[in-house]
Amino acid sequence: MSKKLSPAIPRKQIEEPKQTDPQKIKKVIALSAISLVVVLALIWAVVGAVSASSLLNPERRELVYFDGPNELGMVYDFFQIKDFRGDDYIVGWFIPSQDSYGEYTNSDKTVIMSHNYQSNREMTEIDGLYLIHDLVLSGYNVITFDYTGSGNSKGKNYTFGAQEHEELSLVIDYAVNELGQNKIALMGFAFGAAPAITVGCEDDRIDVVIADSPYLDLGSYLDNNISVWTQLPDLLFSSYVKTLLPVFAGTALESSPVLSVSKTSEKSFLFLHGEKDNVFPHENSRTLASIALEAGNVAEYKIFTDVPHLLGYVYAEDDYVQTVLTFLSENLK
């Protein structure tokens, strides 16, 4: 049998392949590039915003001691102070001067503690309640409290010394007006040392300030160290995050211990620092003491050999306590 041949396709019915329009290709590439840039910009903005918010609101450290100072044999009173922002409030402990049996020893001298970032009124990272125990057995009342962005207080944001300045002032008001205290020392730790210094310089009710591991100026510190805290590339994120911090905090992040001590006089300052501090260099304490002296204050500093950031009491307990108690006895009169 013969095969049937398919009819030939007329030449004019054969379709030529379509030519790709170069302009359309350019438009597609341009739109893809723009979309990619927009997506990357959104990711950058969100990552920076989340980082700024997280810096101001780190996870709250829970209290370790079930019954607070009582677990170390100290009697105490719980207090709560309404904050200046809506329904926020500050909680804390007033631990009166007492002997080793928990019997009051009647003192008109009070030390108010100002805790560090990511800490609370127990300050377990530096054995804070043991330091308080040493103070109350030596004749001092102690107030320790949670800033509103920390511990069991109600509120948000730890602003590295800015907002805490105002909250510390509220605690001083409580100590003077409600507890009748009139010989007051402030003792602050790292970021918490900043409000202790700045409030102590401004408030005539404060005679003595003890600052453990202080910074000099918050703005300068953040300029150079935000990436250390965010763990994000410095060039890409640091300026953006620093811009967002005061927006999210609702207040300017301004705190300058070095400026404050240069503008006050007739105060007594003790600056404590670990020689191996890798957060705030120990030279800070020497600088602050020198400036405070030049301004007409009593000022001393103590550098603890081979001690890392904020661990003077932990590593050199006897020397640390003796330094603090001697300074208090000589200056909180």
Side-chain angles (χ1 to χ4, degrees), residues 37-294:
V37 169
V38 169
V39 170
L40 291 175
L42 286 173
I43 292 173
W44 171 81
V46 170
V47 170
V50 170
S51 179
S53 179
S54 298
L55 281 179
L56 293 171
N57 294 281
E59 183 177 355
R60 292 183 183 236
R61 178 172 293 186
E62 296 182 359
L63 299 184
V64 173
Y65 294 95
F66 177 75
D67 194 18
N70 193 46
E71 294 198 24
L72 273 66
M74 296 181 285
V75 295
Y76 68 97
D77 292 320
F78 174 86
F79 67 83
Q80 179 173 310
I81 304 170
K82 184 173 176 57
D83 193 37
F84 47 84
R85 291 176 298 273
D87 295 327
D88 292 356
Y89 56 78
I90 295 165
V91 298
W93 295 320
F94 172 66
I95 308 169
S97 170
Q98 54 198 272
D99 61 23
S100 58
Y101 299 101
E103 297 291 333
Y104 295 124
T105 55
N106 223 2
S107 174
D108 61 351
K109 298 178 181 180
T110 298
V111 179
I112 300 177
M113 300 294 195
S114 175
H115 69 73
N116 190 21
Y117 179 67
Q118 294 180 313
S119 185
N120 58 37
R121 63 186 181 269
E122 287 182 340
M123 301 179 290
T124 53
E125 72 279 5
I126 58 169
D127 289 345
L129 279 183
Y130 289 91
L131 172 58
I132 290 171
H133 190 243
D134 288 333
L135 290 171
V136 299
L137 291 183
S138 300
Y140 298 93
N141 308 311
V142 175
I143 292 175
T144 184
F145 67 96
D146 299 333
Y147 284 111
T148 57
S150 308
N152 290 348
S153 290
K154 182 183 177 185
K156 64 179 182 178
N157 297 336
Y158 189 103
T159 60
F160 314 108
Q163 173 179 292
E164 292 71 35
H165 177 107
E166 299 176 30
E167 294 182 10
L168 181 55
S169 292
L170 290 178
V171 176
I172 296 170
D173 290 342
Y174 177 81
V176 173
N177 300 330
E178 302 297 326
L179 300 177
Q181 301 302 306
N182 55 22
K183 296 178 183 177
I184 298 175
L186 303 179
M187 187 170 188
F189 302 86
F191 283 109
I197 295 169
T198 58
V199 173
C201 288
E202 293 179 4
D203 196 321
D204 291 337
R205 299 171 296 181
I206 303 304
D207 300 314
V208 172
V209 176
I210 301 173
D212 189 330
S213 311
Y215 63 70
L216 296 179
D217 179 81
L218 181 58
S220 299
Y221 176 78
L222 292 178
D223 282 341
N224 297 313
N225 294 280
I226 280 188
S227 61
V228 175
W229 295 90
T230 63
Q231 297 296 298
L232 297 172
D234 186 34
L235 289 176
L236 285 176
F237 287 96
S238 291
S239 294
Y240 174 52
V241 171
K242 187 182 178 186
T243 301
L244 289 179
L245 287 174
V247 176
F248 289 173
T251 186
L253 266 61
E254 296 175 353
S255 178
S256 183
V258 69
L259 182 60
S260 293
V261 298
S262 71
K263 292 183 175 181
T264 194
S265 60
E266 299 182 359
K267 301 277 186 176
S268 297
F269 295 96
L270 173 62
F271 301 101
L272 308 169
H273 231 115
E275 181 189 30
K276 293 186 175 180
D277 193 326
N278 62 353
V279 179
F280 304 131
H282 67 80
E283 288 83 3
N284 288 4
S285 284
R286 184 180 292 110
T287 297
L288 287 165
S290 176
I291 291 173
L293 278 171
E294 289 176 4

